[in-house]
Short mmCIF file of all heavy atoms in Angstrom, two decimals:
data_model
loop_
_atom_site.label_atom_id
_atom_site.label_comp_id
_atom_site.label_asym_id
_atom_site.label_seq_id
_atom_site.Cartn_x
_atom_site.Cartn_y
_atom_site.Cartn_z
N LYS A 1 0.82 -1.22 0.00
CA LYS A 1 0.00 0.00 0.00
C LYS A 1 0.85 1.27 0.00
O LYS A 1 0.34 2.36 0.10
CB LYS A 1 -0.92 0.03 1.22
CG LYS A 1 -1.99 -1.03 1.18
CD LYS A 1 -2.91 -1.10 2.38
CE LYS A 1 -2.86 -0.03 3.37
NZ LYS A 1 -3.87 -0.09 4.40
N ALA A 2 2.17 1.12 -0.11
CA ALA A 2 3.07 2.27 -0.08
C ALA A 2 3.83 2.36 -1.40
O ALA A 2 4.29 1.36 -1.93
CB ALA A 2 4.06 2.14 1.07
N MET A 3 3.91 3.59 -1.90
CA MET A 3 4.65 3.86 -3.13
C MET A 3 5.71 4.91 -2.81
O MET A 3 5.42 5.90 -2.16
CB MET A 3 3.71 4.41 -4.21
CG MET A 3 4.41 4.88 -5.45
SD MET A 3 3.25 5.71 -6.55
CE MET A 3 4.17 5.64 -8.06
N THR A 4 6.93 4.66 -3.25
CA THR A 4 8.01 5.62 -3.05
C THR A 4 8.38 6.21 -4.40
O THR A 4 8.56 5.47 -5.38
CB THR A 4 9.25 4.95 -2.44
OG1 THR A 4 8.87 4.36 -1.19
CG2 THR A 4 10.35 5.96 -2.20
N LEU A 5 8.45 7.52 -4.46
CA LEU A 5 8.92 8.16 -5.69
C LEU A 5 9.91 9.24 -5.33
O LEU A 5 9.92 9.76 -4.22
CB LEU A 5 7.76 8.69 -6.53
CG LEU A 5 6.87 9.77 -5.95
CD1 LEU A 5 7.28 11.13 -6.49
CD2 LEU A 5 5.43 9.49 -6.33
N HIS A 6 10.76 9.55 -6.29
CA HIS A 6 11.80 10.54 -6.07
C HIS A 6 11.44 11.83 -6.80
O HIS A 6 11.01 11.79 -7.95
CB HIS A 6 13.16 10.01 -6.55
CG HIS A 6 13.64 8.87 -5.73
ND1 HIS A 6 14.46 9.04 -4.63
CD2 HIS A 6 13.40 7.54 -5.81
CE1 HIS A 6 14.71 7.88 -4.08
NE2 HIS A 6 14.08 6.95 -4.77
N TYR A 7 11.62 12.95 -6.10
CA TYR A 7 11.32 14.25 -6.69
C TYR A 7 12.07 14.44 -8.01
O TYR A 7 11.53 15.00 -8.96
CB TYR A 7 11.69 15.36 -5.69
CG TYR A 7 11.43 16.73 -6.25
CD1 TYR A 7 10.13 17.21 -6.38
CD2 TYR A 7 12.49 17.54 -6.68
CE1 TYR A 7 9.89 18.46 -6.91
CE2 TYR A 7 12.25 18.79 -7.21
CZ TYR A 7 10.95 19.25 -7.33
OH TYR A 7 10.71 20.48 -7.87
N GLU A 8 13.28 13.96 -8.07
CA GLU A 8 14.08 14.12 -9.29
C GLU A 8 13.46 13.40 -10.48
O GLU A 8 13.60 13.85 -11.62
CB GLU A 8 15.51 13.62 -9.03
CG GLU A 8 16.27 14.45 -8.02
CD GLU A 8 15.92 14.15 -6.56
OE1 GLU A 8 15.21 13.15 -6.28
OE2 GLU A 8 16.36 14.93 -5.69
N ASP A 9 12.74 12.29 -10.24
CA ASP A 9 12.03 11.61 -11.32
C ASP A 9 10.84 12.43 -11.79
O ASP A 9 10.54 12.48 -12.98
CB ASP A 9 11.55 10.22 -10.86
CG ASP A 9 12.69 9.27 -10.61
OD1 ASP A 9 13.81 9.50 -11.14
OD2 ASP A 9 12.49 8.30 -9.85
N LEU A 10 10.18 13.07 -10.84
CA LEU A 10 9.06 13.96 -11.20
C LEU A 10 9.55 15.09 -12.09
O LEU A 10 8.91 15.45 -13.08
CB LEU A 10 8.40 14.52 -9.94
CG LEU A 10 7.27 15.52 -10.16
CD1 LEU A 10 6.09 14.88 -10.88
CD2 LEU A 10 6.82 16.11 -8.83
N VAL A 11 10.71 15.65 -11.76
CA VAL A 11 11.28 16.73 -12.56
C VAL A 11 11.68 16.24 -13.95
O VAL A 11 11.40 16.88 -14.96
CB VAL A 11 12.49 17.37 -11.84
CG1 VAL A 11 13.24 18.33 -12.75
CG2 VAL A 11 12.04 18.08 -10.57
N ALA A 12 12.34 15.09 -14.00
CA ALA A 12 12.86 14.56 -15.27
C ALA A 12 11.75 14.02 -16.17
O ALA A 12 11.81 14.19 -17.40
CB ALA A 12 13.89 13.47 -14.99
N ARG A 13 10.76 13.37 -15.57
CA ARG A 13 9.68 12.74 -16.34
C ARG A 13 8.33 13.00 -15.67
O ARG A 13 7.73 12.08 -15.10
CB ARG A 13 9.95 11.24 -16.45
CG ARG A 13 11.22 10.88 -17.20
CD ARG A 13 11.53 9.40 -17.20
NE ARG A 13 11.70 8.81 -15.88
CZ ARG A 13 12.78 8.97 -15.11
NH1 ARG A 13 13.78 9.69 -15.53
NH2 ARG A 13 12.85 8.41 -13.92
N PRO A 14 7.87 14.24 -15.72
CA PRO A 14 6.65 14.58 -14.97
C PRO A 14 5.43 13.72 -15.35
O PRO A 14 4.76 13.19 -14.47
CB PRO A 14 6.41 16.05 -15.27
CG PRO A 14 7.55 16.53 -16.06
CD PRO A 14 8.43 15.38 -16.41
N GLU A 15 5.17 13.59 -16.63
CA GLU A 15 3.96 12.87 -17.01
C GLU A 15 4.04 11.40 -16.61
O GLU A 15 3.09 10.86 -16.02
CB GLU A 15 3.70 12.97 -18.51
CG GLU A 15 2.40 12.28 -18.90
CD GLU A 15 2.02 12.44 -20.35
OE1 GLU A 15 2.41 13.44 -20.98
OE2 GLU A 15 1.30 11.55 -20.86
N ALA A 16 5.14 10.74 -16.89
CA ALA A 16 5.27 9.33 -16.54
C ALA A 16 5.16 9.13 -15.03
O ALA A 16 4.51 8.18 -14.56
CB ALA A 16 6.60 8.78 -17.05
N THR A 17 5.77 10.03 -14.25
CA THR A 17 5.73 9.90 -12.80
C THR A 17 4.32 10.12 -12.27
O THR A 17 3.83 9.35 -11.43
CB THR A 17 6.71 10.89 -12.15
OG1 THR A 17 8.02 10.66 -12.69
CG2 THR A 17 6.74 10.73 -10.63
N VAL A 18 3.64 11.14 -12.77
CA VAL A 18 2.27 11.42 -12.32
C VAL A 18 1.35 10.29 -12.75
O VAL A 18 0.46 9.88 -11.99
CB VAL A 18 1.79 12.79 -12.84
CG1 VAL A 18 0.31 12.99 -12.55
CG2 VAL A 18 2.61 13.91 -12.19
N ARG A 19 1.55 9.74 -13.92
CA ARG A 19 0.74 8.59 -14.36
C ARG A 19 0.91 7.41 -13.41
O ARG A 19 -0.06 6.72 -13.08
CB ARG A 19 1.10 8.17 -15.79
CG ARG A 19 0.49 9.05 -16.86
CD ARG A 19 0.83 8.52 -18.27
NE ARG A 19 0.28 9.36 -19.30
CZ ARG A 19 -0.96 9.29 -19.76
NH1 ARG A 19 -1.79 8.38 -19.27
NH2 ARG A 19 -1.37 10.11 -20.70
N SER A 20 2.14 7.17 -12.97
CA SER A 20 2.36 6.04 -12.06
C SER A 20 1.68 6.27 -10.71
O SER A 20 1.14 5.34 -10.11
CB SER A 20 3.86 5.76 -11.88
OG SER A 20 4.48 6.80 -11.16
N VAL A 21 1.67 7.52 -10.24
CA VAL A 21 0.98 7.84 -8.98
C VAL A 21 -0.53 7.64 -9.16
O VAL A 21 -1.20 7.07 -8.30
CB VAL A 21 1.30 9.26 -8.51
CG1 VAL A 21 0.45 9.65 -7.31
CG2 VAL A 21 2.78 9.40 -8.17
N CYS A 22 -1.07 8.10 -10.28
CA CYS A 22 -2.51 7.93 -10.55
C CYS A 22 -2.88 6.45 -10.58
O CYS A 22 -3.90 6.06 -10.00
CB CYS A 22 -2.88 8.60 -11.88
SG CYS A 22 -2.86 10.39 -11.84
N ALA A 23 -2.06 5.65 -11.24
CA ALA A 23 -2.33 4.21 -11.30
C ALA A 23 -2.33 3.61 -9.90
O ALA A 23 -3.20 2.80 -9.55
CB ALA A 23 -1.30 3.51 -12.19
N PHE A 24 -1.38 4.01 -9.08
CA PHE A 24 -1.29 3.51 -7.71
C PHE A 24 -2.53 3.90 -6.91
O PHE A 24 -3.06 3.10 -6.14
CB PHE A 24 -0.03 4.05 -7.05
CG PHE A 24 0.08 3.71 -5.59
CD1 PHE A 24 0.43 2.44 -5.18
CD2 PHE A 24 -0.16 4.67 -4.62
CE1 PHE A 24 0.54 2.13 -3.83
CE2 PHE A 24 -0.06 4.38 -3.28
CZ PHE A 24 0.28 3.10 -2.88
N LEU A 25 -2.99 5.15 -7.09
CA LEU A 25 -4.15 5.65 -6.35
C LEU A 25 -5.49 5.17 -6.91
O LEU A 25 -6.52 5.36 -6.28
CB LEU A 25 -4.14 7.18 -6.31
CG LEU A 25 -2.97 7.83 -5.58
CD1 LEU A 25 -3.01 9.34 -5.75
CD2 LEU A 25 -2.98 7.46 -4.11
N GLY A 26 -5.46 4.60 -8.11
CA GLY A 26 -6.70 4.13 -8.72
C GLY A 26 -7.54 5.25 -9.30
O GLY A 26 -8.77 5.16 -9.32
N ILE A 27 -6.88 6.30 -9.76
CA ILE A 27 -7.60 7.41 -10.40
C ILE A 27 -7.08 7.57 -11.82
O ILE A 27 -5.98 7.13 -12.16
CB ILE A 27 -7.47 8.73 -9.62
CG1 ILE A 27 -5.99 9.17 -9.52
CG2 ILE A 27 -8.08 8.60 -8.23
CD1 ILE A 27 -5.81 10.54 -8.88
N ASP A 28 -7.88 8.22 -12.65
CA ASP A 28 -7.49 8.45 -14.03
C ASP A 28 -6.49 9.59 -14.13
O ASP A 28 -6.61 10.59 -13.41
CB ASP A 28 -8.72 8.78 -14.90
CG ASP A 28 -9.69 7.63 -15.01
OD1 ASP A 28 -9.23 6.46 -14.98
OD2 ASP A 28 -10.90 7.88 -15.12
N TYR A 29 -5.53 9.43 -15.02
CA TYR A 29 -4.59 10.51 -15.30
C TYR A 29 -5.31 11.59 -16.10
O TYR A 29 -6.13 11.30 -16.97
CB TYR A 29 -3.39 9.98 -16.09
CG TYR A 29 -2.53 11.09 -16.64
CD1 TYR A 29 -1.61 11.74 -15.83
CD2 TYR A 29 -2.67 11.52 -17.95
CE1 TYR A 29 -0.84 12.79 -16.31
CE2 TYR A 29 -1.90 12.56 -18.44
CZ TYR A 29 -0.99 13.19 -17.62
OH TYR A 29 -0.25 14.23 -18.10
N ALA A 30 -4.99 12.84 -15.80
CA ALA A 30 -5.50 13.97 -16.57
C ALA A 30 -4.34 14.94 -16.80
O ALA A 30 -3.57 15.20 -15.88
CB ALA A 30 -6.63 14.67 -15.82
N PRO A 31 -4.20 15.48 -18.00
CA PRO A 31 -3.10 16.40 -18.29
C PRO A 31 -3.06 17.60 -17.33
O PRO A 31 -1.99 18.15 -17.06
CB PRO A 31 -3.37 16.86 -19.72
CG PRO A 31 -4.20 15.78 -20.32
CD PRO A 31 -5.02 15.22 -19.19
N GLU A 32 -4.21 17.99 -16.78
CA GLU A 32 -4.26 19.13 -15.85
C GLU A 32 -3.43 18.90 -14.59
O GLU A 32 -3.08 19.84 -13.88
CB GLU A 32 -5.70 19.44 -15.43
CG GLU A 32 -6.66 19.75 -16.58
CD GLU A 32 -7.22 18.49 -17.22
OE1 GLU A 32 -7.78 17.62 -16.53
OE2 GLU A 32 -7.08 18.38 -18.45
N LEU A 33 -3.13 17.65 -14.30
CA LEU A 33 -2.32 17.35 -13.12
C LEU A 33 -0.90 17.89 -13.25
O LEU A 33 -0.20 18.06 -12.25
CB LEU A 33 -2.28 15.84 -12.87
CG LEU A 33 -3.61 15.21 -12.44
CD1 LEU A 33 -3.51 13.70 -12.46
CD2 LEU A 33 -4.02 15.71 -11.07
N LEU A 34 -0.47 18.18 -14.47
CA LEU A 34 0.86 18.74 -14.69
C LEU A 34 0.87 20.26 -14.63
O LEU A 34 1.92 20.88 -14.79
CB LEU A 34 1.41 18.27 -16.04
CG LEU A 34 1.62 16.77 -16.17
CD1 LEU A 34 2.16 16.42 -17.55
CD2 LEU A 34 2.56 16.25 -15.09
N THR A 35 -0.29 20.85 -14.39
CA THR A 35 -0.38 22.32 -14.26
C THR A 35 -1.13 22.67 -12.97
O THR A 35 -2.21 23.27 -13.01
CB THR A 35 -1.08 22.93 -15.49
OG1 THR A 35 -2.35 22.29 -15.68
CG2 THR A 35 -0.23 22.80 -16.75
N PRO A 36 -0.56 22.31 -11.82
CA PRO A 36 -1.28 22.50 -10.55
C PRO A 36 -1.58 23.96 -10.22
O PRO A 36 -2.55 24.24 -9.52
CB PRO A 36 -0.33 21.88 -9.52
CG PRO A 36 1.01 21.91 -10.16
CD PRO A 36 0.78 21.75 -11.63
N ALA A 37 -0.79 24.89 -10.72
CA ALA A 37 -1.02 26.31 -10.40
C ALA A 37 -2.27 26.86 -11.09
O ALA A 37 -2.75 27.93 -10.74
CB ALA A 37 0.20 27.15 -10.77
N ASN A 38 -2.80 26.12 -12.05
CA ASN A 38 -3.99 26.58 -12.76
C ASN A 38 -5.28 26.28 -12.01
O ASN A 38 -6.35 26.66 -12.47
CB ASN A 38 -4.07 25.93 -14.15
CG ASN A 38 -2.95 26.37 -15.06
OD1 ASN A 38 -2.15 27.23 -14.69
ND2 ASN A 38 -2.88 25.80 -16.24
N ARG A 39 -5.18 25.58 -10.89
CA ARG A 39 -6.37 25.22 -10.12
C ARG A 39 -6.24 25.73 -8.71
O ARG A 39 -5.16 25.92 -8.19
CB ARG A 39 -6.53 23.70 -10.08
CG ARG A 39 -6.75 23.11 -11.46
CD ARG A 39 -7.17 21.69 -11.39
NE ARG A 39 -8.41 21.57 -10.64
CZ ARG A 39 -8.96 20.42 -10.33
NH1 ARG A 39 -8.40 19.31 -10.67
NH2 ARG A 39 -10.08 20.37 -9.66
#
């Protein structure tokens, strides 16, 4: 039930990293997740 990710991976591969977090959480990926300041 635990996922470890590295901030440096988020920086290097934002979409792939966010997709892996979404998969772990059981939610759908949305491109808006890469623009958090817009919400």
Side-chain angles (χ1 to χ4, degrees):
K1 292 178 10 173
M3 173 188 198
T4 302
L5 62 100
H6 293 268
Y7 179 74
E8 294 79 11
D9 293 339
L10 177 64
V11 171
R13 297 175 301 284
E15 183 175 333
T17 304
V18 172
R19 281 184 181 275
S20 69
V21 173
C22 289
F24 174 76
L25 296 174
I27 61 174
D28 294 328
Y29 168 80
E32 302 83 53
L33 292 170
L34 297 180
T35 54
N38 294 356
R39 297 191 60 186

